[in-house]
Amino acid sequence: REQELEGAYTTTEKWAEPLRNALYSVRNTIESIVETCKADEYTVFLTGKGNFRDKVATLAGYKANRKDLRRPIHYDDIREYLTEHHNAVVTTGVEADDALADAQGKDTVICSIDKDLLQIPGRHFNWVKSAKVMTPIDLGYIFKWRQVLTGDTTDNIPGIKGLGPKKAEKLIRRGMDEEECRKVCIREWRKAIRTGKVQIVESTKGLDAEQVVEEIHRLIKVGGPYPNDDKDRAHQEDAA
């Protein structure tokens, strides 16, 4: 174990935490998660090259609001450490979240701090909040369709202006099937387009509610099936 971190002292900023400390933190976090979840084995997923959502997003660039954000100092070193010492799986064409969703089963736990993954039925663990959550089968897609209404400003996904989580809960209720959820979303988006109450998108002229709902749903939905599903699969590749 000590050999994993030997020689890891380099940093690109004088004020930054030493790389060795950062790698210790990563290793300890993984060990803590595994212990808390009482896991026999684990898989780490990392987002790799390409993302089908980049082609899906026509209303606004997917995650375009992050293009000027600076990555953490030790970003590349930590990715290399995870692939070399924790056999991290690097995805191609999809995100790590998608790979987590596809890997979820009756005997697994999704460990993530991303709320989007709560749309996937099964057990979840947020290590920052020390929160264990179970998403029932009939609630996962409800969470997803509520996000189709609210959008996701973190990922630059448009939503209906003035329609927050509480109102979304009233419109998309537990017990509704997916088709009922979709119809509600189309109805509400049609109103928003007509009145111009749309977040992020500069102009609502010419927008079709059904097409908008279809696009946002595909951006929000985590896991397969994917467009060109024979090509866009999560799989291991050599770390760049």
Side-chain angles (χ1 to χ4, degrees):
R1 295 243 175 170
E2 294 305 318
Q3 290 178 349
E4 296 177 16
L5 308 178
E6 188 173 345
Y9 294 97
T10 307
T11 180
T12 56
E13 296 285 353
K14 292 182 179 179
W15 49 263
E17 178 184 28
L19 176 58
R20 182 183 179 87
N21 292 5
L23 297 184
Y24 266 123
S25 179
V26 171
R27 190 183 73 184
N28 290 340
T29 298
I30 291 175
E31 291 178 350
S32 175
I33 291 171
V34 171
E35 182 179 357
T36 300
C37 294
K38 296 180 172 58
D40 297 321
E41 56 184 0
Y42 66 92
T43 303
V44 176
F45 292 102
L46 299 174
T47 298
K49 297 177 181 178
N51 189 336
F52 73 91
R53 291 178 178 84
D54 293 333
K55 295 180 180 179
V56 172
T58 63
L59 298 169
Y62 182 64
K63 294 187 178 180
N65 53 338
R66 302 190 192 183
K67 62 182 180 180
D68 295 326
L69 293 181
R70 182 178 180 179
R71 284 179 170 173
I73 296 297
H74 302 307
Y75 178 85
D76 291 330
D77 292 308
I78 290 174
R79 284 178 65 92
E80 182 179 354
Y81 167 75
L82 288 170
T83 54
E84 289 186 0
H85 298 287
H86 294 272
N87 298 316
V89 175
V90 182
T91 65
T92 298
V94 299
E95 297 182 350
D97 285 357
D98 296 307
L100 279 168
D102 292 338
Q104 179 78 314
K106 64 178 182 179
D107 297 322
T108 61
V109 182
I110 290 178
C111 301
S112 173
I113 62 174
D114 193 333
K115 68 182 187 309
D116 294 343
L117 280 160
L118 293 176
Q119 66 184 260
I120 304 302
R123 291 178 292 175
H124 296 259
F125 176 61
N126 182 323
W127 66 87
V128 172
K129 297 181 178 179
S130 297
K132 294 181 179 180
V133 178
M134 171 65 79
T135 298
I137 292 176
D138 65 335
L139 191 57
Y141 68 83
I142 294 293
F143 179 81
K144 173 189 65 180
W145 284 106
R146 287 172 180 169
Q147 279 194 293
V148 172
L149 293 175
T150 62
D152 189 342
T153 55
T154 302
D155 290 339
N156 209 46
I157 299 175
I160 298 175
K161 193 176 296 184
L163 199 159
K166 290 186 178 179
K167 188 171 181 180
E169 287 179 13
K170 293 179 180 179
L171 292 168
I172 304 293
R173 302 178 303 280
R174 190 170 184 177
M176 296 171 64
D177 61 31
E178 291 230 41
E179 183 57 25
E180 289 174 319
C181 294
R182 181 172 135 348
K183 288 180 179 178
V184 169
C185 287
I186 291 173
R187 183 192 70 204
E188 295 302 315
W189 266 101
R190 188 169 287 130
K191 293 179 186 176
I193 292 170
R194 187 173 64 249
T195 57
K197 294 183 178 180
V198 179
Q199 296 173 338
I200 300 175
V201 179
E202 293 183 2
S203 174
T204 58
K205 185 178 180 180
L207 292 183
D208 177 80
E210 291 192 33
Q211 292 177 357
V212 169
V213 167
E214 181 180 354
E215 176 176 323
I216 294 177
H217 175 264
R218 193 62 210 98
L219 294 172
I220 292 288
K221 182 179 180 296
V222 181
Y226 307 101
N228 301 319
D229 201 28
D230 58 324
K231 298 179 181 179
D232 290 331
R233 294 181 184 277
H235 67 275
Q236 190 165 12
E237 65 175 10
D238 293 333

